Amino acid sequence: QLQLVEAGGGSVQPGGSLRLSCAPSRGIFGLYVAGWYRRAAGKQRELVATMSDQGTSYADSVKGRFTISRDSAQNMLYLQMNSLKLEDTAVYYCNAEVIVGEAVYDAWGQGTQVTVSS
């Protein structure tokens, strides 16, 4: 019933950029916690970037290249990805607290494919 919808994935050459977006199918993002995860072929899901009341944090592998941000007015979560590498190829998932009326949900997206190839 409640899910996050990701967009912006695609195929790009090494060194290129993509911006992923995420929005809830209903409700609004909560105030505190949001993040992006990814799962590459043959690997476990890993946490890429998080945003909380204490700021932002990033996996070492993407630090300096990726930026997580949130636009509360537009009810949108973003992941800006620059200087993409072959090893960034994965399905990317957003995760966030979503408020629907008085209820609070931990919501996930279905994932968007990012492919970096030469």
Side-chain angles (χ1 to χ4, degrees):
Q1 294 184 19
L2 177 63
Q3 66 177 28
L4 303 179
V5 181
E6 300 103 338
S11 182
V12 65
Q13 293 183 336
S17 297
L18 288 172
R19 188 180 73 162
L20 307 183
S21 63
C22 172
S25 58
R26 58 191 173 99
I28 60 174
F29 286 121
L31 299 176
Y32 302 115
V33 180
W36 288 91
Y37 295 77
R38 68 185 181 187
R39 186 189 297 275
K43 298 182 179 180
Q44 297 187 57
R45 184 177 65 190
E46 67 171 332
L47 180 61
V48 175
T50 61
M51 171 176 286
S52 72
D53 57 342
Q54 300 189 64
T56 58
S57 63
Y58 300 90
D60 288 341
S61 59
V62 308
K63 191 172 299 182
R65 300 187 297 118
F66 290 11
T67 303
I68 184 172
S69 62
R70 178 169 55 199
D71 187 334
S72 296
Q74 298 296 318
N75 201 28
M76 197 79 67
L77 180 71
Y78 299 100
L79 182 68
Q80 178 68 45
M81 305 184 294
N82 298 325
S83 301
L84 284 162
K85 303 176 179 180
L86 296 178
E87 54 264 39
D88 293 321
T89 296
V91 178
Y92 285 72
Y93 303 86
C94 60
N95 169 232
E97 179 183 83
V98 176
I99 301 173
V100 182
E102 297 290 326
V104 180
Y105 300 87
D106 180 22
W108 287 84
Q110 296 297 307
T112 185
Q113 177 71 48
V114 171
T115 301
V116 184
S117 63
S118 59

